[in-house]
Amino acid sequence: MSIATAQFIHIGQFADLDPDETNYSSENPTPILQSFSQNDITTTEVTQNDANNDGQLQENDNGQTADTFTYDVGNGPITSGLDNVARYSANYVDENGTSQSTTVSVYQTENGDVFVKFPNDLQISSMEITGKVADGYSSITQGTSSSSRVVCFALGTYIQTPDGHRKIETLRVGDLVVTLDHGERPIRWIHRAKQPLNIVERDAKPVLIEQGALGADRPNRDLVVSPQHRILLGGSGQLENTFPEEVLAPAKALTTLQGIRHMNGKRDITWVHFAFDKHEAVYANGCVAESLLFGPMVLNGLSDTQRLVLLDMYGPITHQNEPLNGPEIRRCASIKEIRQQLHIKSKMRSLRHIAPIGSFQ
């Protein structure tokens, strides 16, 4: 079980915002669409209990077992399952008396308590919740760098296009890129961000895949990707003798291989990530790797503004765990599965080099 503690704003107990548990929608947002003065809000420490360690706070829809909040709003500690998670638009007055607007996460527990989470833990003196924006955003709030959860290429990566290989930083929305399965496809969304690495855990640091580490000219020059960026294996000349079928593997699952490692010495890095109408595989420095898939964890690693733009572009989330631009182009294997297969193949190669009994006569 993953446990994280963070500060939330408690606004009271309300009627059920999600009376129908057979879907992922909040059918009854009206009770909290109102103004809240400083006397109505209480900053409360909440322990979030993520039972299956997936980084997501699961509500009790469709027969799912809800993750829980543990908190004390004045009547002693309470542990209650999550009944509803959604995003709302809000106007607020900050600690300096300035009126502003933003998008907030709203959580309701099964006993009716409602908690609000502002981006970057903004300090407010009053607020008005004005309307529901989207259902299903439920990232656990803890100190993980968002860029480590988003699929990114480093600056300088060459992407194959109909006009040849272009540096990723020169690409723009609408530019055509060569994909593995569907020929030339236009970029729908692209973003660039700088990530400091001085406080990032080792497992979340960039991954360097050296030239030829996955096969002949795979990649054809050193490739740097984010640790969660998934690489195609079992096809396209990439570890074809190791994996019997094509799968997508997180780059950090491959760091047991020679020529693939975390980059521990870098202080910062600039990432670029881009997406198409659907999930695709592209050629990056000659290596086949995925484009950005807007699943729950990726969406929660983006800013409120970015999420709202994407919802407007791709449409609302209809099922809590489905990506906006899915489905996945290949089965996404776990880190454990990938490393087990690499270990098995390594042992088999070692056995081939053991001479048969009686060969030394």
Side-chain angles (χ1 to χ4, degrees), residues 1-2 5 8 17 20 34 60 70 74 85 87 132 137 164 167 183 203 213 221 223 262 282 287 325 337 349-351:
M1 175 183 289
S2 175
T5 300
F8 287 73
L17 306 179
D20 183 356
Q34 57 176 287
N60 61 0
T70 299
V85 182
R87 309 258 319 157
K132 190 183 75 169
Y137 287 118
K167 283 189 175 183
D203 193 49
R221 66 181 72 198
L223 175 67
H262 286 285
V282 301
C287 178
N325 61 337
E337 177 186 348
R349 284 192 293 269
S350 297
L351 289 172

Side-chain angles (χ1 to χ4, degrees), residues 35-52:
S35 297
F36 298 87
S37 70
Q38 192 167 18
N39 293 329
D40 299 322
I41 59 179
T42 305
T43 300
T44 306
E45 184 175 88
V46 175
T47 299
Q48 306 149 84
N49 306 287
D50 177 18
N52 63 356

Side-chain angles (χ1 to χ4, degrees), residues 10-23:
H10 180 250
I11 60 173
Q13 285 193 332
F14 293 87
D16 195 350
L17 306 179
D18 179 22
D20 183 356
E21 307 298 356
T22 64
N23 58 48

